[in-house]
Amino acid sequence: MGVVISFLKGLAEKIGKENKSRLFIGGLIITFIVVSLSGISGWIIERLFLFFEIKNPILSTLFFCFILSSSLATRSLNKSILEILNSIKKENYSNNLSNIRQKLSLIVGRDVENLDANEILRASAETASENSVDGIFAPLFWMFIGTIFWEFNQSMPGPLAMAWIFKASSTIDSMLGYKEGKLKWIGFTGAKLDDLMVWIPSRIVLITLPFCCKTNTSIFKTISDSWKEGIVDSSPNSGISEAIFAYCAEVRMGGVNYYKGVKAIKPIVAMSYPIASIDSVKRILNLSLRLQIAWIIGFTLIIKFINL
């Protein structure tokens, strides 16, 4: 996906030059091509799976599940976050801050050059929360939708096709979805599509995550407070994602960030809780794992109910 997006981006910039309309149309075409190719590729693999499932059901199912799992960022997210936490745990971590910042820069969009240990932990907590939704729960949701499609007609896009359609929109947003220069126009369509595809999953996370944690606050109040504080964020999804994880993990998030030297102030959420620590970031990862298990069980029960 990345290679195709990079090639098409260069082509769009070359043809569009400084014309905003052409750049916007170029971005629209990029989104259509990448999303379509991803969905069609997934659909073709699904045809092969359904064909070979008849001949060798165990092997074909295991292979198909392996490909499906590649759409989830659980392992890579946990590994990246834990590497940062383990580095901070070391007694002489202050002498190795530049290396820790470098690791952090691979998973966040903010400037990391001047971040101290507290800010590194806050960034880790926020990216663990946001990326859990973008990289795990959103693709899980679209896999579920694809599975529902199969219950009605197996010629329709299934779990892999829908997961890859989402991953395509997410990758376009990650690579082109910036409000600067030509990308403001080229990446507009991909960014809006990604927002649209994460909109429902982020809100399901909002109302289900409190059932996986133990706090002194009622579930309804946790959801209500997270909604009120998260919805004011400039992003329609990331603010809600961070807020619900902040309240469930009992950690404060938000504050001043810098993006390519430009100051950005994110609303403070869960103000009454302490700042991010190694333990609170680990709680976020643990909550994410619990919710994944709960979603898989819930989706399985829903599909079985549909089959009755």
Side-chain angles (χ1 to χ4, degrees):
M1 291 178 189
V3 172
V4 173
I5 292 169
S6 295
F7 172 77
L8 293 176
K9 169 181 172 285
L11 200 60
E13 288 178 329
K14 184 177 180 180
I15 296 174
K17 296 181 180 179
E18 301 300 326
N19 188 297
K20 296 177 182 177
S21 298
R22 288 182 181 177
L23 292 171
F24 173 79
I25 294 171
L28 183 64
I29 293 172
I30 290 173
T31 302
F32 176 78
I33 290 175
V34 175
V35 170
S36 297
L37 286 176
S38 299
I40 291 170
S41 298
W43 185 84
I44 290 172
I45 293 174
E46 289 171 349
R47 300 310 98 198
L48 294 173
F49 161 67
L50 292 171
F51 174 77
F52 285 106
E53 185 185 29
I54 301 171
K55 297 185 175 182
N56 196 326
I58 297 177
L59 185 61
S60 58
T61 300
L62 287 174
F63 182 68
F64 188 66
C65 289
F66 173 75
I67 297 177
L68 269 178
S69 67
S70 68
S71 299
L72 302 175
T74 305
R75 183 174 178 274
S76 59
L77 177 63
N78 283 13
K79 181 181 178 182
S80 299
I81 297 292
L82 289 175
E83 279 184 0
I84 294 169
L85 298 184
N86 290 334
S87 297
I88 294 178
K89 268 185 177 180
K90 296 177 181 178
E91 293 182 3
N92 62 339
Y93 78 87
S94 56
N95 299 325
N96 199 29
L97 270 181
S98 59
N99 184 44
I100 298 174
R101 290 169 183 151
Q102 174 60 30
K103 291 178 180 179
L104 181 66
S105 69
L106 300 176
I107 57 175
V108 300
R110 71 192 71 184
D111 298 343
V112 301
E113 291 80 9
N114 300 313
L115 298 185
D116 59 18
N118 288 334
E119 285 298 300
I120 289 172
L121 286 169
R122 176 170 75 86
S124 299
E126 291 172 359
T127 197
S129 304
E130 183 180 352
N131 286 335
S132 285
V133 176
D134 292 345
I136 301 170
F137 296 108
L140 260 180
F141 171 79
W142 289 108
M143 286 179 194
F144 170 67
I145 295 299
T147 305
I148 295 295
F149 286 164
W150 267 9
E151 293 299 318
F152 295 99
N153 189 336
Q154 289 195 335
S155 295
M156 296 177 69
L160 184 62
M162 294 305 300
W164 280 9
I165 286 172
F166 168 74
K167 294 299 287 187
S169 72
S170 179
T171 306
I172 294 170
D173 180 48
S174 298
M175 295 181 67
L176 307 181
Y178 296 93
K179 297 179 181 179
E180 59 182 37
K182 295 179 180 180
L183 292 181
K184 182 177 181 179
W185 310 103
I186 295 177
F188 180 84
T189 305
K192 293 302 178 185
L193 177 61
D194 182 65
D195 285 343
L196 184 63
M197 297 193 78
V198 179
W199 197 90
I200 295 177
S202 65
R203 281 144 182 82
I204 298 177
V205 170
L206 173 72
I207 61 178
T208 55
L209 186 62
F211 290 92
C212 297
C213 68
K214 294 180 180 179
T215 64
N216 295 324
T217 309
S218 69
I219 289 175
F220 177 79
K221 182 170 172 51
T222 299
I223 294 172
S224 176
D225 289 346
S226 298
W227 172 263
K228 289 176 183 176
E229 296 184 17
I231 199 65
V232 299
D233 194 280
S234 58
S235 167
N237 303 312
S238 66
I240 292 174
S241 304
E242 290 182 10
I244 191 60
F245 271 99
Y247 272 97
C248 289
E250 299 183 334
V251 54
R252 187 191 314 164
M253 296 190 196
V256 177
N257 297 332
Y258 286 88
Y259 298 90
K260 296 184 177 180
V262 179
K263 184 178 181 179
I265 302 176
K266 295 199 67 174
I268 301 292
V269 296
M271 174 68 82
S272 61
Y273 290 117
I275 62 174
S277 64
I278 291 176
D279 288 340
S280 60
V281 177
K282 286 184 176 180
R283 280 200 299 272
I284 292 172
L285 297 178
N286 185 260
L287 282 170
S288 178
L289 180 59
R290 290 186 203 171
L291 190 60
Q292 289 173 60
I293 296 171
W295 272 36
I296 291 170
I297 293 173
F299 288 162
T300 302
L301 292 175
I302 292 172
I303 292 168
K304 286 187 177 295
F305 177 78
I306 292 173
N307 285 326
L308 291 179

Coordinates of all heavy atoms in Angstrom, one line a residue, residues 212-256:
C212 N -14.6 -3.3 31.2 CA -13.3 -4.1 31.4 C -12.4 -3.6 32.4 O -11.3 -4.0 32.6 CB -12.6 -4.2 30.0 SG -13.5 -5.0 28.7
C213 N -12.8 -2.5 33.2 CA -11.9 -1.9 34.1 C -12.7 -1.8 35.5 O -13.9 -1.9 35.6 CB -11.5 -0.5 33.7 SG -12.7 0.7 33.6
K214 N -11.8 -1.6 36.5 CA -12.4 -1.4 37.9 C -12.0 0.0 38.4 O -10.9 0.3 38.6 CB -11.8 -2.4 38.8 CG -12.2 -3.9 38.5 CD -11.6 -4.8 39.5 CE -12.0 -6.3 39.2 NZ -11.4 -7.2 40.2
T215 N -13.0 0.9 38.5 CA -12.8 2.2 39.0 C -13.9 2.5 40.1 O -14.9 1.8 40.2 CB -12.9 3.3 37.9 OG1 -14.3 3.3 37.4 CG2 -12.0 3.0 36.8
N216 N -13.7 3.6 40.8 CA -14.6 4.0 41.8 C -15.8 4.7 41.3 O -16.7 5.1 42.0 CB -13.9 4.8 42.9 CG -12.9 4.0 43.7 OD1 -13.1 2.8 43.9 ND2 -11.8 4.6 44.0
T217 N -15.7 5.0 40.0 CA -16.8 5.8 39.3 C -17.7 4.8 38.6 O -17.3 3.8 38.1 CB -16.2 6.7 38.3 OG1 -15.1 7.5 38.9 CG2 -17.2 7.7 37.7
S218 N -19.0 5.2 38.5 CA -20.0 4.3 37.8 C -19.7 4.3 36.3 O -19.0 5.2 35.8 CB -21.4 4.9 38.0 OG -21.6 6.1 37.3
I219 N -20.1 3.2 35.7 CA -19.9 3.1 34.2 C -20.5 4.2 33.5 O -19.9 4.8 32.5 CB -20.4 1.7 33.8 CG1 -19.5 0.6 34.3 CG2 -20.5 1.6 32.2 CD1 -20.1 -0.8 34.0
F220 N -21.7 4.6 33.8 CA -22.4 5.6 33.1 C -21.6 7.0 33.2 O -21.5 7.7 32.2 CB -23.8 5.8 33.7 CG -24.6 6.9 33.0 CD1 -25.1 6.8 31.8 CD2 -24.7 8.2 33.7 CE1 -25.8 7.8 31.2 CE2 -25.4 9.2 33.1 CZ -25.9 9.1 31.8
K221 N -21.1 7.3 34.4 CA -20.4 8.5 34.6 C -19.1 8.5 33.9 O -18.7 9.5 33.3 CB -20.2 8.8 36.1 CG -19.4 10.1 36.4 CD -19.4 10.5 37.8 CE -18.6 11.7 38.1 NZ -18.9 12.8 37.3
T222 N -18.4 7.4 33.9 CA -17.2 7.2 33.1 C -17.4 7.5 31.6 O -16.6 8.3 31.0 CB -16.6 5.8 33.3 OG1 -16.3 5.6 34.7 CG2 -15.3 5.7 32.5
I223 N -18.4 6.9 31.1 CA -18.8 7.2 29.7 C -19.1 8.6 29.4 O -18.7 9.2 28.5 CB -19.9 6.2 29.2 CG1 -19.5 4.8 29.3 CG2 -20.4 6.6 27.8 CD1 -20.6 3.8 29.0
S224 N -20.0 9.2 30.3 CA -20.4 10.5 30.2 C -19.3 11.5 30.2 O -19.1 12.4 29.4 CB -21.5 10.9 31.2 OG -21.8 12.2 31.2
D225 N -18.4 11.4 31.2 CA -17.3 12.3 31.4 C -16.3 12.2 30.2 O -15.8 13.2 29.7 CB -16.5 12.0 32.7 CG -17.3 12.4 33.9 OD1 -18.3 13.2 33.8 OD2 -17.0 12.0 35.0
S226 N -16.1 11.0 29.7 CA -15.1 10.7 28.6 C -15.7 11.4 27.3 O -14.9 12.0 26.6 CB -14.9 9.2 28.4 OG -14.4 8.6 29.5
W227 N -17.0 11.3 27.2 CA -17.6 11.9 26.0 C -17.5 13.4 26.0 O -17.1 14.0 25.0 CB -19.1 11.4 25.9 CG -19.9 12.2 24.8 CD1 -20.6 13.3 25.0 CD2 -19.9 11.9 23.4 NE1 -21.2 13.7 23.8 CE2 -20.7 12.8 22.8 CE3 -19.3 10.9 22.6 CZ2 -20.9 12.8 21.4 CZ3 -19.5 10.9 21.3 CH2 -20.3 11.8 20.7
K228 N -17.8 14.0 27.2 CA -17.8 15.4 27.3 C -16.4 16.0 27.1 O -16.3 17.1 26.4 CB -18.3 15.9 28.7 CG -19.8 15.6 28.9 CD -20.2 16.0 30.3 CE -21.7 15.7 30.6 NZ -22.1 15.9 32.0
E229 N -15.4 15.3 27.6 CA -14.1 15.9 27.5 C -13.4 15.5 26.2 O -12.5 16.2 25.6 CB -13.2 15.4 28.7 CG -13.7 15.9 30.0 CD -12.8 15.5 31.2 OE1 -11.7 15.1 30.9 OE2 -13.3 15.6 32.3
G230 N -13.8 14.3 25.6 CA -13.1 13.9 24.4 C -13.7 14.5 23.1 O -13.0 14.7 22.1
I231 N -15.0 14.9 23.1 CA -15.6 15.4 21.9 C -15.1 16.8 21.5 O -15.3 17.2 20.4 CB -17.2 15.4 22.1 CG1 -17.9 15.4 20.7 CG2 -17.6 16.5 23.0 CD1 -17.6 14.2 19.9
V232 N -14.5 17.5 22.5 CA -14.0 18.8 22.2 C -12.7 18.8 21.4 O -12.3 19.8 20.9 CB -13.9 19.7 23.4 CG1 -15.2 19.8 24.2 CG2 -12.8 19.1 24.4
D233 N -12.1 17.7 21.3 CA -10.9 17.5 20.5 C -11.1 17.8 19.1 O -12.2 17.6 18.5 CB -10.3 16.1 20.7 CG -8.9 16.0 20.2 OD1 -8.6 15.9 19.0 OD2 -7.9 16.0 21.1
S234 N -10.1 18.3 18.4 CA -10.3 18.6 16.9 C -10.5 17.4 16.1 O -11.1 17.5 15.0 CB -9.0 19.4 16.4 OG -7.9 18.6 16.6
S235 N -10.0 16.2 16.5 CA -10.3 15.0 15.8 C -11.6 14.4 16.3 O -11.9 14.4 17.5 CB -9.2 14.0 16.1 OG -9.6 12.7 15.6
P236 N -12.5 13.9 15.4 CA -13.8 13.4 15.8 C -13.6 12.0 16.5 O -14.6 11.6 17.1 CB -14.5 13.2 14.4 CG -13.4 13.0 13.4 CD -12.3 13.9 13.9
N237 N -12.5 11.4 16.4 CA -12.3 10.1 17.0 C -11.2 10.0 18.1 O -11.4 9.3 19.1 CB -12.0 9.1 15.9 CG -13.1 9.0 14.8 OD1 -14.3 9.0 15.2 ND2 -12.7 9.1 13.6
S238 N -10.0 10.6 17.8 CA -8.9 10.4 18.7 C -9.2 10.9 20.1 O -8.7 10.4 21.1 CB -7.6 10.9 18.2 OG -7.7 12.4 18.0
G239 N -9.9 12.0 20.2 CA -10.2 12.6 21.5 C -11.0 11.7 22.4 O -10.8 11.5 23.6
I240 N -12.0 11.1 21.8 CA -12.9 10.1 22.5 C -12.1 8.9 22.9 O -12.2 8.4 24.0 CB -14.1 9.8 21.6 CG1 -15.0 11.0 21.4 CG2 -14.9 8.6 22.2 CD1 -16.2 10.7 20.5
S241 N -11.2 8.4 22.0 CA -10.4 7.2 22.3 C -9.5 7.5 23.4 O -9.4 6.7 24.4 CB -9.6 6.9 21.0 OG -10.4 6.6 19.9
E242 N -8.8 8.6 23.4 CA -7.9 8.9 24.5 C -8.6 9.2 25.8 O -8.2 8.7 26.9 CB -7.1 10.2 24.2 CG -6.1 9.9 23.1 CD -5.2 11.2 22.8 OE1 -5.3 12.1 23.5 OE2 -4.5 11.2 21.7
A243 N -9.8 9.8 25.8 CA -10.5 10.1 27.0 C -11.0 8.9 27.7 O -10.9 8.8 28.9 CB -11.7 11.1 26.7
I244 N -11.6 7.9 27.0 CA -12.1 6.8 27.6 C -11.0 5.9 28.2 O -11.1 5.3 29.3 CB -13.0 5.9 26.7 CG1 -13.8 4.8 27.5 CG2 -12.2 5.3 25.5 CD1 -14.7 5.4 28.6
F245 N -9.9 5.8 27.5 CA -8.7 5.1 28.1 C -8.2 5.8 29.3 O -7.7 5.2 30.3 CB -7.7 4.9 27.0 CG -7.8 3.6 26.2 CD1 -8.4 3.6 25.0 CD2 -7.4 2.4 26.7 CE1 -8.6 2.5 24.2 CE2 -7.6 1.2 26.0 CZ -8.2 1.3 24.7
A246 N -8.2 7.2 29.2 CA -7.7 8.0 30.4 C -8.5 7.7 31.6 O -7.9 7.5 32.7 CB -7.7 9.4 30.0
Y247 N -9.8 7.7 31.5 CA -10.6 7.5 32.7 C -10.6 6.0 33.2 O -10.6 5.8 34.4 CB -12.1 7.9 32.3 CG -12.3 9.3 32.6 CD1 -12.3 10.3 31.6 CD2 -12.6 9.8 33.9 CE1 -12.5 11.6 31.8 CE2 -12.8 11.1 34.2 CZ -12.8 12.1 33.1 OH -13.0 13.4 33.4
C248 N -10.5 5.1 32.2 CA -10.5 3.7 32.7 C -9.1 3.3 33.2 O -9.1 2.5 34.1 CB -10.8 2.8 31.5 SG -12.6 2.9 31.0
A249 N -8.0 3.9 32.7 CA -6.7 3.6 33.3 C -6.3 4.5 34.4 O -5.2 4.4 34.9 CB -5.7 3.6 32.1
E250 N -7.2 5.5 34.6 CA -6.9 6.5 35.7 C -5.6 7.3 35.5 O -4.7 7.3 36.3 CB -7.0 5.9 37.0 CG -8.4 5.3 37.3 CD -8.5 4.7 38.7 OE1 -7.4 4.3 39.3 OE2 -9.6 4.6 39.2
V251 N -5.5 7.9 34.3 CA -4.3 8.7 34.0 C -4.7 9.9 33.2 O -5.6 9.9 32.4 CB -3.3 7.8 33.1 CG1 -4.0 7.2 31.9 CG2 -2.1 8.6 32.7
R252 N -4.1 11.0 33.5 CA -4.3 12.3 32.9 C -3.7 12.3 31.5 O -2.5 11.9 31.3 CB -3.8 13.5 33.7 CG -4.2 14.9 33.2 CD -3.4 15.9 34.0 NE -3.4 15.7 35.4 CZ -2.5 16.2 36.3 NH1 -1.6 17.0 35.8 NH2 -2.6 16.0 37.6
M253 N -4.4 12.9 30.5 CA -3.8 13.0 29.2 C -4.1 14.4 28.7 O -5.0 15.1 29.2 CB -4.4 12.0 28.2 CG -4.1 10.5 28.5 SD -4.6 9.4 27.2 CE -4.6 7.9 28.1
G254 N -3.4 14.8 27.6 CA -3.6 16.1 27.0 C -2.5 17.1 27.4 O -1.8 16.8 28.4
G255 N -2.4 18.2 26.7 CA -1.4 19.2 27.1 C -0.8 19.8 25.8 O -1.4 19.8 24.7
V256 N 0.3 20.4 26.0 CA 1.0 21.0 24.8 C 1.8 20.0 24.0 O 2.7 19.3 24.6 CB 1.9 22.2 25.3 CG1 2.6 22.9 24.2 CG2 1.0 23.2 26.1

